[in-house]
Amino acid sequence: MKQRTRCRVAVALAGGTAAALIAGTTTTAAASMPSTARTTAGCGADPALFDFRDCPALPAGADPAKWRCEVFVMHSSIKLGALDIRTLAPMAATNAEGPLPDGGKGQVFGGLRAGPTRVDNAPAPFGGALRLLPQYAGFSDFYSDGVHRGALDMKFRLQHPMLDEHCTIGADADPVKLRFLQDGTTEWVSKEPPILRFAVHDTAFAAPRSYGCGPLGKLVDRRLGLPAPSGQSKISATAFYTFRSYDRLPTGS
């Protein structure tokens, strides 16, 4: 049974992440997923299933052996106002964490990768041509206490032939503020390489109005139910997490 679980994880992360994210990405670093993402012989978990290329530069004076690069891959469902997407294309977030030279806690965000998801139930006049693309909106905090599993500010690009290319739900100055709470316990999928799995949700965030949508902005807000107050939107996700210390990162990361 344990071996079959590891096989499902390997297929989900290699096929889901590499195939879905390569179709369209957004990140503070490189713009494509690695060609090395794959399953391995025996279908075991492999660190190549996670992409370490977005690991950010460390603060001056930081000890690479005491800092680690963390990669989270999330398979989610999301409701934003009137948009209800049961299967959002996978998202991968990269973060660095470790002690600062003065002894304080340090974090550096590396990047967010995501692919667009077609919104099959989009209201008229958008129909089946509307796609939703998650984007980073300038704030993250991945320190966890076992219940609070991190914070991430996001905006969601609306891709449609009728809309301006910069049309988004939320903006850097008015983001979708996700604050993840854990559901249940954390499961060790693999000890070597280290891979953990856990479920998270947020049902308390508000969905801002649209920005940059041109003359159709008011129509977008009206048809998509934006802005939507806290309690009318939600996200739930299964997250896979791995890490490497900076002195053990793969060559080229």
Side-chain angles (χ1 to χ4, degrees), residues 14-62:
T17 302
L21 297 190
I22 202 168
T25 64
T26 176
T27 179
T28 60
S32 61
M33 291 302 294
S35 60
T36 55
R38 63 186 184 278
T39 54
T40 58
C43 206
D46 187 328
L49 299 174
F50 296 86
D51 185 358
F52 287 95
R53 74 173 65 184
D54 287 345
C55 296
L58 296 183

Side-chain angles (χ1 to χ4, degrees), residues 117-220:
T117 300
R118 187 176 69 181
V119 184
D120 293 322
N121 58 351
F126 303 110
L130 184 66
R131 284 171 167 76
L132 190 74
L133 178 64
Q135 297 180 321
Y136 180 61
F139 174 79
S140 66
D141 181 357
F142 289 102
Y143 275 113
S144 169
D145 61 11
V147 176
H148 299 86
R149 290 303 307 230
L152 189 63
D153 283 4
M154 301 185 68
K155 56 190 176 184
F156 293 84
R157 182 178 170 189
L158 297 168
Q159 298 177 322
H160 191 278
M162 296 170 56
L163 299 175
D164 185 89
E165 63 176 335
H166 302 296
C167 179
T168 59
I169 298 174
D172 289 352
D174 183 21
V176 177
K177 297 182 177 182
L178 300 178
R179 305 297 182 259
F180 294 106
L181 298 176
Q182 182 163 339
D183 299 312
T185 59
T186 299
E187 173 191 359
W188 279 95
V189 177
S190 168
K191 291 293 183 74
E192 186 55 45
I195 299 176
L196 295 91
R197 174 172 54 194
F198 53 90
V200 294
H201 75 278
D202 184 356
T203 58
F205 67 92
R209 68 175 180 87
S210 65
Y211 290 85
C213 299
L216 295 181
K218 291 184 178 180
L219 175 64
V220 168

Side-chain angles (χ1 to χ4, degrees), residues 74-80 83-86 88-89 91 132 134 152 154 156 176-181 183 199-205 232-238:
M74 293 190 294
H75 299 261
S76 314
S77 63
I78 192 168
K79 184 177 186 298
L80 289 168
L83 291 181
D84 196 350
I85 302 175
R86 298 185 63 182
L88 191 67
M91 296 186 292
L132 190 74
L152 189 63
M154 301 185 68
F156 293 84
V176 177
K177 297 182 177 182
L178 300 178
R179 305 297 182 259
F180 294 106
L181 298 176
D183 299 312
V200 294
H201 75 278
D202 184 356
T203 58
F205 67 92
Q232 292 188 10
S233 299
K234 61 183 179 180
I235 185 171
S236 60
T238 297

